[in-house]
Amino acid sequence: MYDTILVPTDGSDHAARAAEHALTLAEWFDATVHAISVVDTNAASGMLSSGSIRREFMSQLEDGAERAVETIETMADDSSAVQTAVLRGKPKKKILAYATDIDAELIVMGTHGRSGVSRFVAGSVTEHVVRRAEIPVLTVQANERTESADGYDEILVPTDGSDAAGAAVDHGLEVARAADARVHAVTVLDTGDMAASPTLRPPTEVMKQLETERQNATDEIAARAREDGLAATSAVLEGQPELELLEYIDDHEIDLVVMGTHGRSGIDRLLLGSTTERLLRHASAPILAVTPSEEDDD
């Protein structure tokens, strides 16, 4: 599933925690980790100081970038499985370009970065990478939920039954097999989005049909997991997708969420790209966001 994993870092706690998860995945899938830090060349552009001071400032940033990637290298049990690089330029563009250059199958990065002009990877950069990357992106924040980076016991796989969600299911089940984790297949019926008015509910027959379709979708995921010898459960929820999923994550102590970056379009959409972005910002668990391939979109 993953042979090459890219880990952008700015030396922050969030980036270091993301690296821990990346190294665990690399061990499971026998992958090579590429740790990079991008020195933002625009960081000193607004400074009114002399050229020598600006050069010293950039040198300090580069030293910090070197320390950041070296830290990840020392975290690995086998340092030879980690390759490091310090780049210069705009972090958003450099990360995506580097992922393409090394044919990465996964990007793992923190949800927050350093503050101030010295930041290399910030939250806005992470969201940009998730939106633009053509490969899965695992986002991790440093908190109590992500402290145990040596495995996942409970993996949540939200679905709306679309092909885009199906691409995420494949990744979720692959990681679950490697982690020997329980799979939670969950869908959320967004009745507010389906109704003509936020105060009205869609017709009963429409709801029943949708519930049946979504139950079938979650049951299929759970069945696939059980075929691999994994524990699995399925659920159909009703409400605002991001709120229902956030509550489910906390109630069931979810260790990892694997979901698509796009959902159904039109009146019957149940999971939206915006839902994924909201979970990236607010979920306590790591989020593995999977962008569907062009074949999935057809």
Side-chain angles (χ1 to χ4, degrees):
M1 177 64 68
Y2 310 121
D3 293 322
T4 306
I5 300 175
L6 175 60
V7 183
T9 178
D10 61 358
S12 66
D13 291 341
H14 296 280
R17 184 62 53 81
E20 292 174 3
H21 286 256
L23 291 169
T24 295
L25 290 168
E27 182 179 351
W28 290 347
F29 294 101
D30 193 23
T32 299
V33 171
H34 288 254
I36 66 169
S37 190
V38 183
V39 179
D40 191 345
T41 52
N42 292 328
S45 60
M47 299 179 66
L48 299 178
S49 52
S50 66
S52 61
I53 293 178
R54 285 197 296 270
R55 286 192 295 272
E56 181 180 355
F57 176 73
M58 290 303 297
S59 177
Q60 291 175 354
L61 292 183
E62 290 178 347
D63 289 344
E66 288 284 359
R67 290 193 297 271
V69 295
E70 288 173 359
T71 296
I72 294 179
E73 189 174 25
T74 61
M75 290 166 55
D77 292 334
D78 180 9
S79 60
S80 64
V82 179
Q83 299 183 25
T84 64
V86 173
L87 312 177
R88 296 183 62 157
K90 294 183 178 180
K92 297 176 181 179
K93 292 184 177 181
K94 287 294 182 179
I95 292 170
L96 292 171
Y98 198 88
T100 299
D101 290 343
I102 65 172
D103 292 325
E105 288 99 6
L106 176 67
I107 301 173
V108 183
M109 57 196 305
T111 57
H112 301 74
R114 291 188 179 278
S115 60
V117 294
S118 66
R119 67 179 181 268
F120 304 137
V121 177
S124 61
V125 174
T126 302
E127 290 188 6
H128 179 88
V129 171
V130 171
R131 287 194 295 266
R132 300 287 185 174
E134 297 180 355
I135 60 176
V137 181
L138 174 61
T139 60
V140 183
Q141 62 172 283
N143 58 38
E144 293 182 359
R145 180 66 56 80
T146 62
E147 281 183 352
S148 180
D150 58 351
Y152 308 116
D153 294 324
E154 310 289 338
I155 295 180
L156 171 61
V157 183
T159 183
D160 62 0
S162 65
D163 290 339
V169 170
D170 293 338
H171 286 263
L173 293 179
E174 191 72 23
V175 175
R177 284 191 287 268
D180 192 25
R182 181 193 308 273
V183 174
H184 297 251
V186 174
T187 191
V188 182
L189 297 176
D190 187 350
T191 56
D193 185 61
M194 291 183 290
S197 168
T199 59
L200 299 177
R201 288 176 58 84
T204 302
E205 60 272 18
V206 174
M207 284 298 299
K208 287 184 177 180
Q209 179 181 351
L210 288 173
E211 287 177 4
T212 299
E213 291 177 356
R214 301 308 174 243
Q215 187 67 66
N216 290 340
T218 57
D219 286 347
E220 181 180 349
I221 296 171
R224 288 178 59 185
R226 294 187 185 106
E227 288 175 359
D228 291 329
L230 300 173
T233 184
S234 61
V236 178
L237 310 178
E238 183 178 321
Q240 192 171 342
E242 61 268 23
L243 296 181
E244 293 297 326
L245 292 174
L246 287 171
E247 183 176 355
Y248 193 97
I249 290 169
D250 291 336
D251 290 347
H252 295 82
E253 299 183 346
I254 297 299
D255 301 305
L256 175 68
V257 181
V258 185
M259 63 190 303
T261 56
H262 301 78
R264 289 184 178 276
S265 60
I267 194 169
D268 70 337
R269 68 181 181 267
L270 306 176
L271 294 177
L272 313 176
S274 60
T275 299
T276 304
E277 290 193 3
R278 292 188 184 105
L279 261 66
L280 290 176
R281 297 170 186 165
H282 302 296
S284 55
I287 307 292
L288 177 55
V290 180
T291 299
S293 64
E294 293 182 1
E295 290 79 5
D296 294 322
D297 289 335
D298 293 339

